[in-house]
Amino acid sequence: MGIRAKEVKRMRPTSRTVIVAVALACAALPGYAGVISTLGSWNGSSFISSWGTVPSGETPTYGESFTAAAGFDVLNAMTFEIQNTSGASIPFNAYVYAWNGTAITGSALFTSGPNSVASGAGFQAISVNTGAVALTDGSTYIALYSTLGDGGSASAVSSWGILSSDSAYPGGTFEYSNAALLSGLSDSTTWNNGSAGSVGEDLAFELDFNGSATPEPSTFTLIRS
């Protein structure tokens, strides 16, 4: 199956306050919960589409790249704002990979069990608890949701919340892949329609961290549902 062209539909926000909700003042404290989020910058309606399964003919993999740092090196959970009004739920798996700027590298650092985005009006905060994924300070990763691991049993499609630029979170950006197989995610030509560089926008997302590379088990709870 070849790379599919991706239809993009956006509504630009009329105003935006740039907020990176990271608790930098607490970065030196072991066991604190840190957050990287663009949700405070999103207007609640701007979107990009369409994300769905391979049979739907739409893009099956959306994600946000990010950079690990001291105090933000144990990933506990990821959340993306998704709207599914197609009338059927969308099955997906969540993943965390190392990211080289154009594609994933190496094996998955985290793979979730089966999840789904239920059909319904309005955006939903779709969260996945990653447990405690240890990361290397200064390295770049990608948190993504993909329908590829499900086998493509549904044809529903959805839209994701997005900002008008990637300045809200300077450590990463929105990335997408039209690969028809998980193995294709390591091929840079399947990402962003094979274009050089990133899309230049941030998704409406939140990443929850512990501030220590050896966190207490009691800190593994999901911060935002």
Side-chain angles (χ1 to χ4, degrees):
M1 182 179 295
I3 300 173
R4 296 179 299 284
K6 174 174 167 290
E7 179 183 4
V8 177
K9 303 174 183 176
R10 299 186 182 91
M11 294 187 297
R12 297 293 185 183
T14 56
S15 63
R16 180 169 60 86
T17 301
V18 176
I19 300 173
V20 181
V22 291
L24 296 178
C26 300
L29 302 177
Y32 87 98
V35 177
I36 295 173
S37 177
T38 62
L39 298 182
S41 302
W42 180 51
N43 67 0
S45 61
S46 296
F47 68 89
I48 189 164
S49 65
S50 297
W51 174 77
T53 59
V54 171
S56 75
E58 302 298 344
T59 301
T61 303
Y62 275 13
E64 179 86 16
S65 59
F66 66 97
T67 304
F72 299 87
D73 53 9
V74 177
L75 180 64
N76 289 328
M78 63 179 88
T79 299
F80 293 100
E81 291 282 346
I82 304 175
Q83 179 174 239
N84 173 20
T85 58
S86 60
S89 63
I90 303 176
F92 74 92
N93 294 90
Y95 301 88
V96 177
Y97 283 95
W99 177 255
N100 67 8
T102 58
I104 66 168
T105 61
S107 301
L109 302 177
F110 168 78
T111 302
S112 76
N115 292 273
S116 65
V117 181
S119 178
F123 280 92
Q124 307 172 60
I126 306 299
S127 300
V128 173
N129 192 335
T130 62
V133 179
L135 308 173
T136 301
D137 294 356
S139 295
T140 305
Y141 301 88
I142 187 168
L144 59 88
Y145 290 174
S146 180
T147 64
L148 295 176
D150 171 75
S153 60
S155 59
V157 298
S158 67
S159 55
W160 286 40
I162 199 166
L163 285 71
S164 60
S165 75
D166 61 359
S167 60
Y169 174 58
T173 190
F174 165 51
E175 309 284 357
Y176 66 87
S177 173
N178 282 317
L181 298 171
L182 281 172
S183 58
L185 297 181
S186 60
D187 181 354
S188 62
T189 65
T190 71
W191 285 92
N192 304 342
N193 284 340
S195 62
S198 67
V199 181
E201 294 167 310
D202 282 320
L203 291 170
F205 78 99
E206 182 169 288
L207 301 177
D208 299 319
F209 298 84
N210 282 311
S212 169
T214 55
E216 299 281 337
S218 61
T219 66
F220 290 1
T221 56
L222 185 64
I223 297 174
R224 185 178 185 275
S225 59

